[in-house]
Each structure stands twice: as structure tokens, then as C-alpha cells.
Amino acid sequence: MQRSYSPSVRRRRLSAQLRAYRERKKLTASKAGAALGWPQQKISKIESGEQKRLPAAELDLLLDLYEVRDSAEREALHECARLAKERGWWSKYKDAFPGGLPDFEAEASAIRAYEAQVLPGLLQTPDYAEAVFRDYKLREEVEIRRLVEARIARQSILNKIDPPDYTAVIDEAALKRIVGSSNVMVTQLRHLTHMAARHNVDIYVLPFTAGAHAATSGSFTIMDFPDPMDASLAYVDTPTLTMYLEEDDDLRVFNSMLSRAQSAALSPQLSLNLVEETIKTLEE
């Protein structure tokens, strides 16, 4: 199986390393740009990722300026620059993933999520996903089919030979809310039990009896990456805005919220028991 690469992750890695080299030389972005005869904002755009592509010749000029001599180090950065220009399978679903979430999931070693209203997208069945998209707003049938297709394709991340560890803390409300129909929910919840049996998937249900908890502000996802050069990301999606947060202070808040919500949740076995009880209630 061909390994998945994330252009966005490689771009972040390249940008962070170039910024570290510049700071090591005690150069400001404007002085570095001036030394190369580049426009004032070019260095800043490269380091922020705003400039999506960095030609090999320009990368060499930067590495020469920063006196990076090690050939292996230089080649690794050129490889990052090359991979940052690739397009993943999700590029054909830009309308379904305006924030480019699968791009980051492609290289994540761990994905941790809290879901408050509906079951996580990575664990949804096609019928359940269709009902979610259909009930959210009025859409053409062709658009709904495309959104469902994109969501199911995204789930392949959990089927890789070396998949990421996936932890989902799910509010009990998402189990009890009837999405689509009782039959759709039964099939969906049975799928949840099958996914919970996988070695890389842990499901925790946060019961109503837990009362107020640390994650009452809403759903979010945290992604961790295997390379220490790639900082973790917190992902928050709203109807009008998609945010990726990577500052240490922000990550501390999200990690704390998820950890405390998980501590208040039922154990995986008790969570599975509650899912089974919900299935029986629906079948009756």
C-alpha cells in the first residue's frame, strides 16, 4: 500500500525548519529577504505557509544564506518541498473538506475527538451520514451523494496497514438522538460496536449522569504526528469557520478539556454496554 503524505504537514515542517534556521542566524525576516533581494514579505509568507510552493532554487538560496551545509539535511528539506506540491485524493472533494481535514489526518499518528451532537464522521455509516447532511440544510441530491462519498472515503485512514490511534469521546446525546430513522440508528450503532473492537479505536461515552463537564463548549479534534518537528493541531469546525490551532497555550486547553471529558466518561467496556442497551431499546 502506498504511503499517504500530507502536503500541508510537509509545508508546516518546511516552514518551521526554515524559521528555526533564520532565528539561529539571528536574522529578521526582512533582513533575510533583503540579503536575497526578495520582496519584503516573501520570507514571512514562506514561513507562514502562505506561499504554497517553494522552488528548489529558492530553497537552496535560503539554505545557503542560513549556512546549512549538511547534504542529508538539505535533501530532507527538498523532499518536504517536493511533497508539499502533491495533491492527495481529497483534493477532488474540496467542497466537502473546505478546511482540508483529511490532508492532516493522512500523517497523524493519533486522532482524538470529542463529539457532542452526532457520532464522529470517521465512524459514520453511509445512511447515517446522508441523514446528517440531508437534515443540516436543503441540498440537491447530487450534492448529498458527493458529501457522503467524500466522508466514507475519508474513513479509509482507519484502514491503513499502520493506522492512527483513534480515540473518540462521544456524548450520550449522540447515541440517543435518532438520525434518519430507528433502523438507520440500529445499523449505525452496530457499526460503532464493530469499530470499537479494532485495536486502534477506543470509544468512550460521556453519560448524562456526568452532568456538566470540561468539554461543554462543543466538538473538536486533536491530531498528533509521529515526527517531533510536526506540532500537534487542534481542529474546530463551525458552520462558517474552520480553525486549526497549534500554539502551546491553545493545545494545553484542548488537551485538558479532552482529558477531563474522557476521565468523566464510561470505560470502553461500559460504553459498549450502553451502546448495546441503546440498540435493544431501538429494536423494541
Side-chain angles (χ1 to χ4, degrees):
M1 180 180 292
Q2 185 177 7
R3 185 177 177 185
S4 296
Y5 291 102
S6 164
S8 293
V9 170
R10 297 310 167 104
R11 195 177 301 121
R12 285 177 77 222
R13 186 183 304 175
L14 178 63
S15 298
Q17 191 60 60
L18 289 175
R19 182 168 55 252
Y21 287 148
R22 176 179 58 76
E23 291 173 349
R24 187 178 67 186
K25 296 299 293 181
K26 302 186 184 306
L27 291 171
T28 64
S30 60
K31 285 184 179 179
L36 296 173
W38 289 356
Q40 184 176 359
Q41 297 300 317
K42 187 176 179 69
I43 298 290
S44 297
K45 288 181 177 180
I46 290 172
E47 292 182 1
S48 68
E50 187 178 347
Q51 179 173 315
K52 303 299 183 185
R53 299 191 176 194
L54 183 60
E58 292 188 356
L59 177 55
D60 278 329
L61 288 173
L62 282 169
L63 296 178
D64 290 343
L65 176 65
Y66 301 149
E67 298 182 354
V68 179
R69 308 299 186 198
D70 186 272
S71 59
E73 205 169 343
R74 292 175 72 107
E75 177 54 32
L77 291 173
H78 275 283
E79 180 71 1
C80 273
R82 285 193 292 270
L83 291 172
K85 296 185 290 186
E86 289 187 357
R87 301 179 66 188
W89 65 265
W90 51 88
S91 62
K92 66 178 181 179
Y93 294 112
K94 286 184 178 179
D95 53 331
F97 304 118
L101 180 59
D103 194 3
F104 291 102
E105 289 176 334
E107 289 200 42
S109 58
I111 302 171
R112 296 170 288 142
Y114 169 69
E115 290 291 345
Q117 301 297 332
V118 296
L119 297 175
L122 286 175
L123 302 177
Q124 291 178 6
T125 63
D127 288 343
Y128 184 94
E130 178 183 335
V132 170
F133 289 129
R134 192 177 298 280
D135 292 341
Y136 173 63
K137 68 178 182 180
L138 186 63
R139 288 186 167 104
E140 297 289 339
E141 289 298 317
V142 65
E143 181 185 5
I144 292 174
R145 288 195 299 272
R146 180 173 174 77
L147 290 172
V148 172
E149 179 183 311
R151 175 153 296 181
I152 300 307
R154 175 182 158 227
Q155 295 174 2
S156 65
I157 192 70
L158 297 179
N159 300 325
K160 295 196 307 181
I161 292 176
D162 186 19
D165 292 324
Y166 182 62
T167 300
V169 180
I170 304 171
D171 197 281
E172 185 177 352
L175 295 185
K176 301 299 178 63
R177 178 170 290 106
I178 305 297
V179 175
S181 68
S182 293
N183 288 336
V184 168
M185 283 302 300
V186 167
T187 301
Q188 170 62 73
L189 294 178
R190 288 202 182 283
H191 176 65
L192 202 63
T193 66
H194 297 158
M195 295 300 294
R198 295 191 176 193
H199 74 280
N200 62 311
V201 176
D202 289 308
I203 294 173
Y204 296 81
V205 175
L206 187 59
F208 292 139
T209 54
H213 55 84
T216 52
S217 57
S219 304
F220 59 91
T221 298
I222 302 170
M223 289 170 283
D224 305 311
F225 303 94
D227 194 306
M229 291 176 63
D230 302 325
S232 296
L233 280 176
Y235 169 82
V236 181
D237 190 23
T238 75
T240 59
L241 182 65
T242 296
M243 292 186 293
Y244 289 98
L245 304 162
E246 59 182 338
E247 296 298 326
D248 288 343
D249 289 343
D250 293 327
L251 287 169
R252 271 194 291 270
V253 170
F254 281 99
N255 277 310
S256 176
M257 285 195 297
L258 188 62
S259 176
R260 291 166 62 191
Q262 184 174 333
S263 296
L266 301 174
S267 68
Q269 183 57 59
L270 291 178
S271 296
L272 189 59
N273 292 346
L274 182 55
V275 173
E276 296 283 5
E277 290 172 10
T278 305
I279 291 173
K280 290 180 181 178
T281 299
L282 289 169
E283 290 178 331
E284 291 171 356

